[in-house]
Amino acid sequence: MREISKGANVSLTALSEDAGSVVVSLGWSSASGAGDADVSVLLVGEDGKVRSENDFYFYNNPAAADGSVQLLGKTPTDSGDEDRIGVDLTAVPEGVARIVVAASQYGGTCFGDLDGLRMTVADRSGEPLVGFSIEDASVETAFIFGELYRRGEEWKFRAVGQGYETGLAGLATDFGITVEESEEAGEAGDAGEEGEPAQAAPPAEAPAAPASVPDADAGTGTAQAPAAPAIAPGAGAAEGAVAAIAGPAVVTAAPPDPAAGPAAPEAGAAVPAQTRGRAATRTTRKKVTLPKAPGKSLAENDSWRPARLFPVPTLKSDKEREVRATSVLLSVMAQVPEFGRRLTAAFGAPAGRMQTFTEVSLPHGDTPRRPDGVIRVERAGKLWTALVETKTNGNPLKPEQVQQYMDIAARRGYESVITLSNDVALEGTAMVDVKIDGRRKHKVGLWHLSWAEVAHQAQLLIRHEGVGNAAHAWLLQELLAYLQHEQSGCHGFQNMGPAWVPVRNGIEDETLGLGDPRATEVVESWERLIRQVCLRLGGELGQKALPVQRVRRGSDPGTRRAAAAERLCLDGRLSAELRVEGTSSVIAVTADLRTGKVRTSVEVPAPEGSYPLVSVKRLVRLLAEAPADLHVESLVEGENGPRGTLERLRPEPGDLLPRSGAPVTGFRLTLIKGMGNTRGNTESGFIRSVDEAVDRFHQAVVARLGPLEARTGRRG
């Protein structure tokens, strides 16, 4: 991979013959574990402006209708998160001269709080081509990391590193996007509650002229961001308007007039700003989602089973399950373009017409081989082909089988081999060991999908983001019903491995020694379990849930896992942290193998400027429906704060205040649950107990803290 400096540029075509479809990754890490940023992509013309609002892609508008841009979301890595974007350069409209890749922060944070700011571009086989690191971030709240731009018949990459102190609003203004600022909803209503000091809203500032767009060939230096625009009363009130009302920056657009044609670039497009209150945002593009609550059933009783498109009870063998699961998945991918594109964009597939096949016979020596499936995508007369190898239940992938498919793909000029199983891949850990013949000019990408990831993406589309029509939503619903059936064998990670029982027994009888390699195996299985918990939780919420790694980017994952294995041997605990995208709360999960308990907890900072008793009462009110056995502890600097169960504190919330009068900096909320012992996913299994503990804690506790977190974020 070539490293370039700020302002430098390089031809993607010169670096790879497979650069027609690329994956752009933005990465960072945070010592606190709470640092985050939102990625956005702008398609701009020769004049440096977006052509219309549809040229802006962000969390609530993640994909282009023509497939040229697909936001793939955050992916956990061993040293933080990576936000990945699939870009099919062959599908980019002719009127687009540059593809600008940016990120912005919210909640009063800045990019100087993050470590290892970095952008990389990889070709369709996954091989990194070029990388760029930002070393000088400080108070900026938005950054243009880099851009892809046309030069003649080729595409080039430029490392930009241009920062803005005015966040997404300042960045958007530079590209012809109209931004209006609105008062924070509910601030006035919160002020003065129970004697709490009120805070006056700041006066509106006069609008500033948009900054000039950087020259397309320069790309160097840091531009001075424009001043914040003025507040627009009534913004976002019109039908079809786009509005993000929970944060300080609000961008609105009037509904388009069909007779007027596309918006002129000079008039300025309007798009939503990214804020902490992202649930309030919507876009003008209508999508179909399924209702969260199912309609009333017409069945006479519960014994009436609804008819299903993909029945499963007749499956008796693993081979039958593999064949059925492959056929069901590939058929839905081909019929629901949003879903097929979502699963293949990260693997370098172009945006185009997709067809899928099963049990295809391919020559290989004296004996033909039959991969479980084949995916083909056609774009502009060119084909992208991937062989698919599927496993269900706990069956492992066979390295020799995958190796054969890699050899066949290389010989036939296919682009990828995709493995699909219940196992969850970890960064830095290969699912199967295969040999790559470096003498071959044609490169084949080897990718892995978990069934949990497939279900996660389907749930995001039909419950939250939406698809093109009701028939597509119904197909995805039937796919989910199939995957979730107990006989499908597609339930995701479901076995802690052969080392689980001896390690658990060694901890109970204190015979597990330091350096036992089985402890490292258990730590790796624990990481896979936490990643699956994040997938399931994120699918329910409609937002990414990600493991938190409090390490610097580039740290060795083997060293980190060895340290975790040592802690497991010493104190018998497995620990992890996770965070839901768009929030600052970090959920800690600890499995104590000595006591057989799973502990879930979260720390909530006390609102600044609030009286201690007011903060305590407000917290207890927010937790009115939380479990009575929830443990609440006051965080006091330099000493142990008061603690007690919610049941005891409800009549006397003042008991959480320290008698010394020391200031309370926050609160720790903890739920403790019994832990399953078996290594699998049965009702008494360890995997299910951890999953249920996190689910219960988020629903009963964390989800109720939204008003307190928003209040803390505004004042912090």
Side-chain angles (χ1 to χ4, degrees):
M1 179 173 63
R2 180 180 298 185
E3 291 290 331
I4 64 174
S5 58
K6 182 175 180 177
N9 62 74
V10 63
S11 169
L12 297 179
T13 309
L15 297 178
S16 173
E17 295 181 354
D18 299 317
S21 182
V22 298
V23 174
V24 177
S25 300
L26 302 189
W28 45 76
S29 59
S30 170
S32 66
D36 195 11
D38 285 325
V39 165
S40 52
V41 177
L42 300 99
L43 306 186
V44 300
E46 291 288 354
D47 61 352
K49 307 291 185 182
V50 296
R51 301 169 303 164
S52 74
E53 64 198 49
N54 294 326
D55 283 342
F56 181 80
Y57 301 97
F58 62 111
Y59 64 90
N60 209 26
N61 182 35
D66 59 12
S68 58
V69 176
Q70 172 78 58
L71 269 60
L72 304 172
K74 289 181 170 57
T75 299
T77 67
D78 284 303
S79 53
D81 302 332
E82 273 190 357
D83 239 307
R84 294 177 181 172
I85 307 154
V87 182
D88 184 356
L89 297 174
T90 65
V92 177
E94 287 296 328
V96 174
R98 290 189 290 151
I99 303 171
V100 178
V101 181
S104 56
Q105 288 204 284
Y106 46 82
T109 57
C110 60
F111 278 93
D113 299 331
L114 301 178
D115 301 318
L117 295 172
R118 182 168 175 78
M119 176 177 180
T120 58
V121 180
D123 65 13
R124 60 131 186 99
S125 69
E127 181 176 338
L129 303 179
V130 58
F132 163 56
S133 296
I134 297 176
E135 308 287 353
D136 55 352
S138 56
V139 298
E140 299 88 354
T141 52
F143 251 103
I144 297 176
F145 278 64
E147 62 183 20
L148 306 172
Y149 66 98
R150 296 183 193 267
R151 188 60 76 233
E153 297 297 320
E154 66 176 354
W155 283 90
K156 303 182 77 172
F157 167 70
R158 177 183 291 113
V160 179
Q162 176 179 328
Y164 294 80
E165 295 183 25
T166 49
L168 185 64
L171 185 153
T173 302
D174 267 6
F175 295 98
I177 298 173
T178 302
V179 183
E180 296 170 344
E181 191 158 313
S182 173
E183 295 180 82
E184 292 175 334
E187 182 71 22
D190 288 339
E193 180 183 9
E194 296 194 29
E196 186 175 346
Q199 296 186 357
E205 296 182 11
S212 59
V213 180
D215 182 82
D217 290 326
T220 59
T222 302
Q224 179 64 37
I231 293 175
E239 176 65 21
V242 184
I245 57 177
V250 175
V251 193
T252 61
D257 181 0
E266 62 271 18
V271 293
Q274 293 158 303
T275 65
R276 182 179 300 278
R278 300 193 297 186
T281 62
R282 55 197 175 106
T283 68
T284 55
R285 183 178 301 170
K286 292 185 178 180
K287 293 284 188 176
V288 178
T289 59
L290 295 177
K292 294 183 179 179
K296 182 180 179 181
S297 174
L298 301 181
E300 289 185 3
N301 54 61
D302 293 340
S303 67
W304 287 28
R305 296 179 179 177
R308 288 295 182 194
L309 182 64
F310 309 121
V312 288
T314 59
L315 301 178
K316 300 184 182 301
S317 68
D318 286 339
K319 181 61 177 176
E320 284 183 293
R321 290 187 180 91
E322 289 176 8
V323 172
R324 178 73 62 85
T326 305
S327 183
V328 168
L329 173 62
L330 295 187
S331 64
V332 174
M333 288 174 61
Q335 294 302 316
V336 184
E338 299 96 331
F339 184 58
R341 178 70 178 144
R342 179 70 62 90
L343 291 183
T344 58
F347 305 153
R353 183 172 67 96
M354 177 182 292
Q355 284 191 356
T356 53
F357 310 86
T358 59
E359 298 292 316
V360 175
S361 179
L362 297 173
H364 182 67
D366 297 332
T367 308
R369 301 299 174 187
R370 290 180 177 268
D372 292 313
V374 177
I375 303 172
R376 303 203 92 171
V377 181
E378 181 189 36
R379 176 80 191 188
K382 296 182 179 180
L383 288 175
W384 177 91
T385 306
L387 305 181
V388 180
E389 172 61 15
T390 303
K391 296 295 180 185
T392 56
N393 280 336
N395 297 321
L397 295 163
K398 298 178 180 179
E400 65 276 8
Q401 204 171 27
V402 178
Q403 181 71 65
Q404 290 172 357
Y405 296 147
M406 289 289 288
D407 294 340
I408 292 173
R411 189 170 59 251
R412 299 179 68 86
Y414 297 163
E415 284 72 22
S416 296
V417 172
I418 301 172
T419 58
L420 184 60
S421 72
N422 280 324
D423 213 346
V424 179
L426 296 178
E427 292 288 329
T429 303
M431 293 301 304
V432 289
D433 292 323
V434 297
K435 296 179 180 179
I436 306 297
D437 189 347
R439 296 171 298 178
R440 281 184 172 146
K441 186 177 181 180
H442 182 75
K443 293 180 294 184
V444 177
L446 177 59
W447 311 94
H448 180 74
L449 267 178
S450 166
W451 285 112
E453 174 71 15
V454 173
H456 168 78
Q457 297 294 354
Q459 195 164 25
L460 281 181
L461 283 172
I462 64 171
R463 295 297 182 192
H464 307 285
E465 297 176 13
V467 291
N469 58 56
H472 290 171
W474 176 72
L475 278 173
L476 288 176
Q477 183 184 39
E478 291 299 299
L479 172 65
L480 266 180
Y482 177 88
L483 296 178
Q484 294 168 351
H485 194 283
E486 60 183 6
Q487 293 295 324
S488 71
C490 305
H491 302 132
F493 182 71
Q494 55 185 355
N495 196 316
M496 290 294 289
W500 169 252
V501 172
V503 167
R504 187 199 65 201
N505 292 340
I507 289 173
E508 289 177 353
D509 56 27
E510 299 184 1
T511 59
L512 184 66
L514 287 174
D516 192 320
R518 295 176 298 183
T520 304
E521 294 179 34
V522 169
V523 167
E524 289 187 358
S525 295
W526 170 251
E527 288 188 21
R528 290 187 168 92
L529 170 57
I530 293 299
R531 295 201 177 181
Q532 177 163 290
V533 167
C534 288
L535 287 172
R536 190 202 54 76
L537 181 62
E540 292 289 338
L541 300 177
Q543 292 176 292
K544 281 279 188 178
L546 297 164
V548 172
Q549 299 289 359
R550 300 179 187 267
V551 295
R552 287 191 172 273
R553 184 166 298 279
S555 58
D556 179 32
T559 301
R560 176 174 54 78
R561 291 179 184 129
E566 183 176 346
R567 291 193 298 271
L568 174 62
C569 295
L570 292 174
D571 58 25
R573 295 179 181 177
L574 292 165
S575 299
E577 293 178 317
L578 59 95
R579 178 179 52 79
V580 176
E581 185 182 4
T583 70
S584 58
S585 299
V586 175
I587 301 174
V589 186
T590 301
D592 193 327
L593 275 63
R594 287 178 176 167
T595 63
K597 302 290 184 182
V598 177
R599 182 185 299 264
T600 48
S601 63
V602 66
E603 293 187 3
V604 182
E608 295 183 14
S610 176
Y611 295 123
L613 184 58
V614 172
S615 298
V616 169
K617 288 183 176 180
R618 180 176 176 82
L619 176 65
V620 173
R621 280 200 310 273
L622 290 174
L623 297 172
E625 302 299 324
D629 59 346
L630 177 70
H631 291 246
V632 185
E633 176 187 358
S634 293
L635 302 178
V636 181
E637 189 173 352
E639 61 181 86
N640 294 325
R643 66 185 69 190
T645 63
L646 193 57
E647 182 179 31
R648 183 176 69 81
L649 293 170
R650 277 171 176 154
E652 295 292 340
D655 289 350
L656 276 176
L657 300 178
R659 296 182 179 179
S660 64
V664 176
T665 60
F667 308 94
R668 181 182 293 115
L669 313 177
T670 305
L671 269 181
I672 302 173
K673 181 184 182 297
M675 185 183 79
N677 290 323
T678 61
R679 68 183 183 182
N681 196 29
T682 61
E683 190 169 344
S684 61
F686 174 73
I687 291 175
R688 180 173 295 189
S689 64
V690 173
D691 193 53
E692 290 177 348
V694 174
D695 184 63
R696 179 189 181 217
F697 185 68
H698 190 275
Q699 287 190 13
V701 180
V702 178
R704 305 180 187 279
L705 300 175
L708 185 62
E709 184 182 69
R711 188 182 187 85
T712 304
R714 288 199 304 266
R715 300 192 176 195

